[in-house]
Amino acid sequence: MRDFQYLLPQTLEEAVAFKKEHGASAVFMAGATDVVVRMRDNLMTPDYVIDLKAIPGLDEITFSVQDGLRIGALATMNEIAANEAVRANYPTLAKAAGSVGSKQVRNRATCIGNIVNASPLADTATPLYCYDAVVEIAGPGGRRQVPIRDFIRFVRKVDLQDGELVTGIRVPVQKAEGRFYKIARRSQVDLSTVCGTVLKTPEGWRIAMGSVAPTPLRLDKTEALLAGRALDEALINEAAALAATEVSPIDDVRADRQYRLDMVSYIVRDALGKLA
């Protein structure tokens, strides 16, 4: 790992100013589970590391029936998985957060880091896609919000402009019953071969998949097929088959393309059967 200068801003404004000053030679750090590994492996070589941990309020998880859930940029996976409001109102997100890595990793890793990292197999992405989460951003031009489906653009590419950072994720109030799936080679401490979330809401079905395309995906065609229709075995099978046509997985060391297609169909079929 090459030498770098460590910066510890005390306010959000100071963090933004540091990034504006140093530009592409600086990187923000929250939980450090991704940044430090990438620096160690020389996949990134910043001159400045801007640590966000001293900024008050970024570690908060708040919930109200009016405003829904807000997860701060420093809230860890274990904190999200154990939070009573998350478990009661967004159980698939709690389960997804609790599936990431090991307990030790979850004590440092953040949900915001999982999203900003923009990996196709980010475990917390599929529930957040189904819950219509919104990403909160701060930068030199002020603050803005972006739906998570628009925020993640490609592998490791997100909608962040120069000097901007994510301060939190807001999740609307939901009345939903759902299932989260993580299919991996091992039952714990492994990356997802396929992950997915299926929600049943008063407005209709929501289905999202990960590790089957360059970004996580909402399966819009499958949701439209199910809209307003009573589930029976024929419709469930039709939806499971359609779901596999909406994804574009690849062969890699964890699984081949056909296996992933089969798992997408399995997730949809199993979840619809259990939630019907």
Side-chain angles (χ1 to χ4, degrees), residues 17 91 114 185 203 249:
N114 201 221
R185 294 168 297 180
E203 293 77 31

Side-chain angles (χ1 to χ4, degrees), residues 204-222:
W205 294 92
R206 300 178 189 175
I207 304 170
M209 295 290 163
S211 197
V212 291
T215 70
L217 294 174
R218 275 281 290 272
L219 303 191
D220 295 321
K221 293 179 181 178
T222 306

